[in-house]
Amino acid sequence: MTLNAIRPSHFPWFRYDGYSFSLGLTHGEGAWLSGHSASEYDPESGRIVVRGGMTEQARTAYAKIGAILDAAGLSFADVTRVTENVTVAGLDAYEEAAAVRAEIFGEHNPAVTTVIVERLLRPAAFIEVEVHASRGGPAALPGGVAEAPDGAVFLPTVLPVDERGDVVHEGDFVGQYAYCLDKADRLLRGAGLSLDAAVTTYDYSTPATRDVYRRTHSVRKERLGGAGVFPGAGGILMSRLHRPGVLVALDVTASRHPLEAVNPGWARYDTLTYTPGVKAGDMLWMSGFASLDMETQQVLHPGDVVAQAEVTYDAILQVLDAAGTGPEHLLSTIEFVCPEGLADYRGVADVRKQRLRDPWPASTGAICAGLLRPEFLIEVFPAAVLP
């Protein structure tokens, strides 16, 4: 299916041509938008600036989203999922952004995922918003779950918090991880599905629990892959999560379509609880990728974020090829970069221009505290459509 870049006739915040990403892409009756913060061009200084506190920034970000949706013939009533990337510095004011969102959406309730990030690429930015929309909007499901017309099912961010609002399994990372998976399963069963339908599980934890992260393998093996296909997965580290005592947060996407695993032939995945790519309907959902030698499992190019991005995007292209598609069908990329790689991160744009194609995918970039392998400087979460 053809992807088309969304090009508003009037977009006063900045000139959007010339980047290696699009403001958003349409895919049939749906649209995937890049992450948008409150950044805008200031003619007096000749620079891109970010103004205001959380409320003003959220209003500007959502104004951009509204303009892009309008250019695609859509509106906020068509939005199925909202992802709000909130910085550690802005977290205490996040209720202000939630109030702006409630004002904009009214009685319409898309699934809301909240990713806590160290900071955004614009240092003064507190929030960056990305959305998925489908004409007609989502089906109403319990628990904040939203189903798009194409069968994709989006869960709100799953936290280890019970119905009373209390954090469970305090101090127990593995216990909290298991609780989040079980909670996601309950939410999916409310939609007539289960964790067997999961196509991606992206988790967010902290550097303090990096050493015990491997213990989640048995938890995932017990609960995932029941239909014969493990979901794509990714893991990102942040210095702080949604509230005190929370050691992990989980974002889960599922599908009503039958699942098919996609693997270019990498034997390392034979014993893992995640899959390089998962076909579901006309979508290809993928794991997060970093600069890893798939044979030796050694990190390549430590200290060089541009070289790591080359390896990362080459791996993504291999998965696309194994699925029978190519870079022109890449729908979305989310790039997490570590602080150590930030100085040279601009060079990643050239990597994208060399390896990807027009129309450029929707894209979001954020800074994390670290990745599961300390030598990694960048990890990319991609998604694509099938021709």
mmCIF file with all atom_site columns, all heavy atoms in Angstrom, residues 348-366:
data_model
loop_
_atom_site.group_PDB
_atom_site.id
_atom_site.type_symbol
_atom_site.label_atom_id
_atom_site.label_alt_id
_atom_site.label_comp_id
_atom_site.label_asym_id
_atom_site.label_entity_id
_atom_site.label_seq_id
_atom_site.pdbx_PDB_ins_code
_atom_site.Cartn_x
_atom_site.Cartn_y
_atom_site.Cartn_z
_atom_site.occupancy
_atom_site.B_iso_or_equiv
_atom_site.pdbx_formal_charge
_atom_site.auth_seq_id
_atom_site.auth_comp_id
_atom_site.auth_asym_id
_atom_site.auth_atom_id
_atom_site.pdbx_PDB_model_num
ATOM 1   N N   . VAL A 1 348 ? 23.346 11.255 12.169 1.00 0.00 ? 348 VAL A N   1
ATOM 2   C CA  . VAL A 1 348 ? 22.407 10.160 11.913 1.00 0.00 ? 348 VAL A CA  1
ATOM 3   C C   . VAL A 1 348 ? 21.431 10.540 10.792 1.00 0.00 ? 348 VAL A C   1
ATOM 4   O O   . VAL A 1 348 ? 20.944 9.683  10.060 1.00 0.00 ? 348 VAL A O   1
ATOM 5   C CB  . VAL A 1 348 ? 21.656 9.778  13.208 1.00 0.00 ? 348 VAL A CB  1
ATOM 6   C CG1 . VAL A 1 348 ? 20.576 8.734  12.945 1.00 0.00 ? 348 VAL A CG1 1
ATOM 7   C CG2 . VAL A 1 348 ? 22.650 9.245  14.249 1.00 0.00 ? 348 VAL A CG2 1
ATOM 8   N N   . ALA A 1 349 ? 21.161 11.833 10.635 1.00 0.00 ? 349 ALA A N   1
ATOM 9   C CA  . ALA A 1 349 ? 20.283 12.280 9.548  1.00 0.00 ? 349 ALA A CA  1
ATOM 10  C C   . ALA A 1 349 ? 20.852 11.869 8.192  1.00 0.00 ? 349 ALA A C   1
ATOM 11  O O   . ALA A 1 349 ? 20.110 11.477 7.281  1.00 0.00 ? 349 ALA A O   1
ATOM 12  C CB  . ALA A 1 349 ? 20.081 13.788 9.613  1.00 0.00 ? 349 ALA A CB  1
ATOM 13  N N   . ASP A 1 350 ? 22.171 11.949 8.033  1.00 0.00 ? 350 ASP A N   1
ATOM 14  C CA  . ASP A 1 350 ? 22.789 11.529 6.770  1.00 0.00 ? 350 ASP A CA  1
ATOM 15  C C   . ASP A 1 350 ? 22.664 10.022 6.570  1.00 0.00 ? 350 ASP A C   1
ATOM 16  O O   . ASP A 1 350 ? 22.484 9.553  5.443  1.00 0.00 ? 350 ASP A O   1
ATOM 17  C CB  . ASP A 1 350 ? 24.260 11.936 6.739  1.00 0.00 ? 350 ASP A CB  1
ATOM 18  C CG  . ASP A 1 350 ? 24.443 13.444 6.623  1.00 0.00 ? 350 ASP A CG  1
ATOM 19  O OD1 . ASP A 1 350 ? 23.551 14.104 6.045  1.00 0.00 ? 350 ASP A OD1 1
ATOM 20  O OD2 . ASP A 1 350 ? 25.462 13.954 7.121  1.00 0.00 ? 350 ASP A OD2 1
ATOM 21  N N   . VAL A 1 351 ? 22.761 9.270  7.661  1.00 0.00 ? 351 VAL A N   1
ATOM 22  C CA  . VAL A 1 351 ? 22.566 7.817  7.571  1.00 0.00 ? 351 VAL A CA  1
ATOM 23  C C   . VAL A 1 351 ? 21.164 7.509  7.059  1.00 0.00 ? 351 VAL A C   1
ATOM 24  O O   . VAL A 1 351 ? 20.972 6.665  6.175  1.00 0.00 ? 351 VAL A O   1
ATOM 25  C CB  . VAL A 1 351 ? 22.808 7.154  8.938  1.00 0.00 ? 351 VAL A CB  1
ATOM 26  C CG1 . VAL A 1 351 ? 22.482 5.651  8.878  1.00 0.00 ? 351 VAL A CG1 1
ATOM 27  C CG2 . VAL A 1 351 ? 24.238 7.383  9.403  1.00 0.00 ? 351 VAL A CG2 1
ATOM 28  N N   . ARG A 1 352 ? 20.181 8.217  7.584  1.00 0.00 ? 352 ARG A N   1
ATOM 29  C CA  . ARG A 1 352 ? 18.796 8.016  7.155  1.00 0.00 ? 352 ARG A CA  1
ATOM 30  C C   . ARG A 1 352 ? 18.633 8.385  5.682  1.00 0.00 ? 352 ARG A C   1
ATOM 31  O O   . ARG A 1 352 ? 17.963 7.676  4.922  1.00 0.00 ? 352 ARG A O   1
ATOM 32  C CB  . ARG A 1 352 ? 17.859 8.852  8.027  1.00 0.00 ? 352 ARG A CB  1
ATOM 33  C CG  . ARG A 1 352 ? 17.769 8.376  9.481  1.00 0.00 ? 352 ARG A CG  1
ATOM 34  C CD  . ARG A 1 352 ? 17.036 9.398  10.343 1.00 0.00 ? 352 ARG A CD  1
ATOM 35  N NE  . ARG A 1 352 ? 15.688 9.630  9.880  1.00 0.00 ? 352 ARG A NE  1
ATOM 36  C CZ  . ARG A 1 352 ? 14.606 8.973  10.287 1.00 0.00 ? 352 ARG A CZ  1
ATOM 37  N NH1 . ARG A 1 352 ? 14.729 8.008  11.196 1.00 0.00 ? 352 ARG A NH1 1
ATOM 38  N NH2 . ARG A 1 352 ? 13.415 9.260  9.816  1.00 0.00 ? 352 ARG A NH2 1
ATOM 39  N N   . LYS A 1 353 ? 19.240 9.509  5.269  1.00 0.00 ? 353 LYS A N   1
ATOM 40  C CA  . LYS A 1 353 ? 19.101 9.930  3.876  1.00 0.00 ? 353 LYS A CA  1
ATOM 41  C C   . LYS A 1 353 ? 19.735 8.927  2.915  1.00 0.00 ? 353 LYS A C   1
ATOM 42  O O   . LYS A 1 353 ? 19.269 8.748  1.787  1.00 0.00 ? 353 LYS A O   1
ATOM 43  C CB  . LYS A 1 353 ? 19.724 11.311 3.688  1.00 0.00 ? 353 LYS A CB  1
ATOM 44  C CG  . LYS A 1 353 ? 18.899 12.430 4.304  1.00 0.00 ? 353 LYS A CG  1
ATOM 45  C CD  . LYS A 1 353 ? 19.541 13.782 4.097  1.00 0.00 ? 353 LYS A CD  1
ATOM 46  C CE  . LYS A 1 353 ? 18.683 14.898 4.681  1.00 0.00 ? 353 LYS A CE  1
ATOM 47  N NZ  . LYS A 1 353 ? 19.309 16.229 4.522  1.00 0.00 ? 353 LYS A NZ  1
ATOM 48  N N   . GLN A 1 354 ? 20.798 8.269  3.349  1.00 0.00 ? 354 GLN A N   1
ATOM 49  C CA  . GLN A 1 354 ? 21.467 7.285  2.500  1.00 0.00 ? 354 GLN A CA  1
ATOM 50  C C   . GLN A 1 354 ? 20.697 5.978  2.397  1.00 0.00 ? 354 GLN A C   1
ATOM 51  O O   . GLN A 1 354 ? 20.739 5.309  1.357  1.00 0.00 ? 354 GLN A O   1
ATOM 52  C CB  . GLN A 1 354 ? 22.872 6.996  3.048  1.00 0.00 ? 354 GLN A CB  1
ATOM 53  C CG  . GLN A 1 354 ? 23.834 8.170  2.961  1.00 0.00 ? 354 GLN A CG  1
ATOM 54  C CD  . GLN A 1 354 ? 25.042 7.987  3.861  1.00 0.00 ? 354 GLN A CD  1
ATOM 55  O OE1 . GLN A 1 354 ? 25.239 6.929  4.470  1.00 0.00 ? 354 GLN A OE1 1
ATOM 56  N NE2 . GLN A 1 354 ? 25.859 9.032  3.973  1.00 0.00 ? 354 GLN A NE2 1
ATOM 57  N N   . ARG A 1 355 ? 19.983 5.604  3.455  1.00 0.00 ? 355 ARG A N   1
ATOM 58  C CA  . ARG A 1 355 ? 19.393 4.274  3.503  1.00 0.00 ? 355 ARG A CA  1
ATOM 59  C C   . ARG A 1 355 ? 17.867 4.249  3.350  1.00 0.00 ? 355 ARG A C   1
ATOM 60  O O   . ARG A 1 355 ? 17.311 3.217  2.976  1.00 0.00 ? 355 ARG A O   1
ATOM 61  C CB  . ARG A 1 355 ? 19.780 3.588  4.816  1.00 0.00 ? 355 ARG A CB  1
ATOM 62  C CG  . ARG A 1 355 ? 21.237 3.114  4.805  1.00 0.00 ? 355 ARG A CG  1
ATOM 63  C CD  . ARG A 1 355 ? 21.750 2.842  6.203  1.00 0.00 ? 355 ARG A CD  1
ATOM 64  N NE  . ARG A 1 355 ? 23.057 2.173  6.155  1.00 0.00 ? 355 ARG A NE  1
ATOM 65  C CZ  . ARG A 1 355 ? 24.193 2.806  5.890  1.00 0.00 ? 355 ARG A CZ  1
ATOM 66  N NH1 . ARG A 1 355 ? 24.187 4.106  5.665  1.00 0.00 ? 355 ARG A NH1 1
ATOM 67  N NH2 . ARG A 1 355 ? 25.342 2.130  5.854  1.00 0.00 ? 355 ARG A NH2 1
ATOM 68  N N   . LEU A 1 356 ? 17.212 5.352  3.662  1.00 0.00 ? 356 LEU A N   1
ATOM 69  C CA  . LEU A 1 356 ? 15.756 5.376  3.591  1.00 0.00 ? 356 LEU A CA  1
ATOM 70  C C   . LEU A 1 356 ? 15.309 6.045  2.305  1.00 0.00 ? 356 LEU A C   1
ATOM 71  O O   . LEU A 1 356 ? 16.117 6.427  1.473  1.00 0.00 ? 356 LEU A O   1
ATOM 72  C CB  . LEU A 1 356 ? 15.180 6.062  4.827  1.00 0.00 ? 356 LEU A CB  1
ATOM 73  C CG  . LEU A 1 356 ? 15.661 5.498  6.173  1.00 0.00 ? 356 LEU A CG  1
ATOM 74  C CD1 . LEU A 1 356 ? 14.956 6.177  7.336  1.00 0.00 ? 356 LEU A CD1 1
ATOM 75  C CD2 . LEU A 1 356 ? 15.509 3.981  6.243  1.00 0.00 ? 356 LEU A CD2 1
ATOM 76  N N   . ARG A 1 357 ? 14.018 6.185  2.130  1.00 0.00 ? 357 ARG A N   1
ATOM 77  C CA  . ARG A 1 357 ? 13.480 6.687  0.870  1.00 0.00 ? 357 ARG A CA  1
ATOM 78  C C   . ARG A 1 357 ? 12.348 7.685  1.133  1.00 0.00 ? 357 ARG A C   1
ATOM 79  O O   . ARG A 1 357 ? 11.686 7.661  2.159  1.00 0.00 ? 357 ARG A O   1
ATOM 80  C CB  . ARG A 1 357 ? 12.927 5.523  0.016  1.00 0.00 ? 357 ARG A CB  1
ATOM 81  C CG  . ARG A 1 357 ? 13.960 4.499  -0.421 1.00 0.00 ? 357 ARG A CG  1
ATOM 82  C CD  . ARG A 1 357 ? 14.887 5.061  -1.496 1.00 0.00 ? 357 ARG A CD  1
ATOM 83  N NE  . ARG A 1 357 ? 15.828 4.038  -1.954 1.00 0.00 ? 357 ARG A NE  1
ATOM 84  C CZ  . ARG A 1 357 ? 17.000 3.791  -1.384 1.00 0.00 ? 357 ARG A CZ  1
ATOM 85  N NH1 . ARG A 1 357 ? 17.365 4.485  -0.307 1.00 0.00 ? 357 ARG A NH1 1
ATOM 86  N NH2 . ARG A 1 357 ? 17.804 2.861  -1.856 1.00 0.00 ? 357 ARG A NH2 1
ATOM 87  N N   . ASP A 1 358 ? 12.107 8.509  0.137  1.00 0.00 ? 358 ASP A N   1
ATOM 88  C CA  . ASP A 1 358 ? 10.951 9.401  0.124  1.00 0.00 ? 358 ASP A CA  1
ATOM 89  C C   . ASP A 1 358 ? 9.709  8.585  -0.260 1.00 0.00 ? 358 ASP A C   1
ATOM 90  O O   . ASP A 1 358 ? 9.799  7.766  -1.186 1.00 0.00 ? 358 ASP A O   1
ATOM 91  C CB  . ASP A 1 358 ? 11.208 10.504 -0.909 1.00 0.00 ? 358 ASP A CB  1
ATOM 92  C CG  . ASP A 1 358 ? 10.135 11.563 -0.913 1.00 0.00 ? 358 ASP A CG  1
ATOM 93  O OD1 . ASP A 1 358 ? 9.736  11.976 0.182  1.00 0.00 ? 358 ASP A OD1 1
ATOM 94  O OD2 . ASP A 1 358 ? 9.710  11.957 -2.006 1.00 0.00 ? 358 ASP A OD2 1
ATOM 95  N N   . PRO A 1 359 ? 8.583  8.686  0.439  1.00 0.00 ? 359 PRO A N   1
ATOM 96  C CA  . PRO A 1 359 ? 8.349  9.646  1.516  1.00 0.00 ? 359 PRO A CA  1
ATOM 97  C C   . PRO A 1 359 ? 9.015  9.189  2.809  1.00 0.00 ? 359 PRO A C   1
ATOM 98  O O   . PRO A 1 359 ? 8.894  8.026  3.193  1.00 0.00 ? 359 PRO A O   1
ATOM 99  C CB  . PRO A 1 359 ? 6.825  9.645  1.646  1.00 0.00 ? 359 PRO A CB  1
ATOM 100 C CG  . PRO A 1 359 ? 6.405  8.275  1.238  1.00 0.00 ? 359 PRO A CG  1
ATOM 101 C CD  . PRO A 1 359 ? 7.376  7.861  0.162  1.00 0.00 ? 359 PRO A CD  1
ATOM 102 N N   . TRP A 1 360 ? 9.717  10.079 3.438  1.00 0.00 ? 360 TRP A N   1
ATOM 103 C CA  . TRP A 1 360 ? 10.435 9.728  4.647  1.00 0.00 ? 360 TRP A CA  1
ATOM 104 C C   . TRP A 1 360 ? 9.460  9.304  5.743  1.00 0.00 ? 360 TRP A C   1
ATOM 105 O O   . TRP A 1 360 ? 8.359  9.840  5.849  1.00 0.00 ? 360 TRP A O   1
ATOM 106 C CB  . TRP A 1 360 ? 11.268 10.926 5.118  1.00 0.00 ? 360 TRP A CB  1
ATOM 107 C CG  . TRP A 1 360 ? 12.144 11.474 4.040  1.00 0.00 ? 360 TRP A CG  1
ATOM 108 C CD1 . TRP A 1 360 ? 11.952 12.633 3.337  1.00 0.00 ? 360 TRP A CD1 1
ATOM 109 C CD2 . TRP A 1 360 ? 13.331 10.878 3.520  1.00 0.00 ? 360 TRP A CD2 1
ATOM 110 N NE1 . TRP A 1 360 ? 12.958 12.795 2.416  1.00 0.00 ? 360 TRP A NE1 1
ATOM 111 C CE2 . TRP A 1 360 ? 13.823 11.735 2.498  1.00 0.00 ? 360 TRP A CE2 1
ATOM 112 C CE3 . TRP A 1 360 ? 14.041 9.711  3.804  1.00 0.00 ? 360 TRP A CE3 1
ATOM 113 C CZ2 . TRP A 1 360 ? 14.976 11.468 1.775  1.00 0.00 ? 360 TRP A CZ2 1
ATOM 114 C CZ3 . TRP A 1 360 ? 15.192 9.439  3.091  1.00 0.00 ? 360 TRP A CZ3 1
ATOM 115 C CH2 . TRP A 1 360 ? 15.652 10.303 2.088  1.00 0.00 ? 360 TRP A CH2 1
ATOM 116 N N   . PRO A 1 361 ? 9.862  8.334  6.578  1.00 0.00 ? 361 PRO A N   1
ATOM 117 C CA  . PRO A 1 361 ? 8.945  7.892  7.634  1.00 0.00 ? 361 PRO A CA  1
ATOM 118 C C   . PRO A 1 361 ? 8.677  8.989  8.660  1.00 0.00 ? 361 PRO A C   1
ATOM 119 O O   . PRO A 1 361 ? 9.483  9.910  8.838  1.00 0.00 ? 361 PRO A O   1
ATOM 120 C CB  . PRO A 1 361 ? 9.697  6.719  8.285  1.00 0.00 ? 361 PRO A CB  1
ATOM 121 C CG  . PRO A 1 361 ? 11.135 6.966  7.964  1.00 0.00 ? 361 PRO A CG  1
ATOM 122 C CD  . PRO A 1 361 ? 11.148 7.617  6.609  1.00 0.00 ? 361 PRO A CD  1
ATOM 123 N N   . ALA A 1 362 ? 7.526  8.898  9.308  1.00 0.00 ? 362 ALA A N   1
ATOM 124 C CA  . ALA A 1 362 ? 7.294  9.707  10.498 1.00 0.00 ? 362 ALA A CA  1
ATOM 125 C C   . ALA A 1 362 ? 8.362  9.331  11.518 1.00 0.00 ? 362 ALA A C   1
ATOM 126 O O   . ALA A 1 362 ? 8.783  8.167  11.587 1.00 0.00 ? 362 ALA A O   1
ATOM 127 C CB  . ALA A 1 362 ? 5.900  9.440  11.048 1.00 0.00 ? 362 ALA A CB  1
ATOM 128 N N   . SER A 1 363 ? 8.817  10.286 12.301 1.00 0.00 ? 363 SER A N   1
ATOM 129 C CA  . SER A 1 363 ? 9.926  9.983  13.208 1.00 0.00 ? 363 SER A CA  1
ATOM 130 C C   . SER A 1 363 ? 9.830  10.800 14.481 1.00 0.00 ? 363 SER A C   1
ATOM 131 O O   . SER A 1 363 ? 9.348  11.937 14.479 1.00 0.00 ? 363 SER A O   1
ATOM 132 C CB  . SER A 1 363 ? 11.260 10.253 12.524 1.00 0.00 ? 363 SER A CB  1
ATOM 133 O OG  . SER A 1 363 ? 12.347 9.832  13.333 1.00 0.00 ? 363 SER A OG  1
ATOM 134 N N   . THR A 1 364 ? 10.315 10.209 15.556 1.00 0.00 ? 364 THR A N   1
ATOM 135 C CA  . THR A 1 364 ? 10.415 10.869 16.847 1.00 0.00 ? 364 THR A CA  1
ATOM 136 C C   . THR A 1 364 ? 11.802 10.588 17.400 1.00 0.00 ? 364 THR A C   1
ATOM 137 O O   . THR A 1 364 ? 12.316 9.478  17.268 1.00 0.00 ? 364 THR A O   1
ATOM 138 C CB  . THR A 1 364 ? 9.350  10.337 17.820 1.00 0.00 ? 364 THR A CB  1
ATOM 139 O OG1 . THR A 1 364 ? 8.052  10.576 17.270 1.00 0.00 ? 364 THR A OG1 1
ATOM 140 C CG2 . THR A 1 364 ? 9.452  11.015 19.178 1.00 0.00 ? 364 THR A CG2 1
ATOM 141 N N   . GLY A 1 365 ? 12.426 11.590 18.005 1.00 0.00 ? 365 GLY A N   1
ATOM 142 C CA  . GLY A 1 365 ? 13.723 11.395 18.632 1.00 0.00 ? 365 GLY A CA  1
ATOM 143 C C   . GLY A 1 365 ? 13.710 11.886 20.055 1.00 0.00 ? 365 GLY A C   1
ATOM 144 O O   . GLY A 1 365 ? 13.116 12.925 20.367 1.00 0.00 ? 365 GLY A O   1
ATOM 145 N N   . ALA A 1 366 ? 14.347 11.140 20.938 1.00 0.00 ? 366 ALA A N   1
ATOM 146 C CA  . ALA A 1 366 ? 14.404 11.522 22.349 1.00 0.00 ? 366 ALA A CA  1
ATOM 147 C C   . ALA A 1 366 ? 15.700 11.029 22.953 1.00 0.00 ? 366 ALA A C   1
ATOM 148 O O   . ALA A 1 366 ? 16.366 10.131 22.416 1.00 0.00 ? 366 ALA A O   1
ATOM 149 C CB  . ALA A 1 366 ? 13.215 10.955 23.119 1.00 0.00 ? 366 ALA A CB  1
#
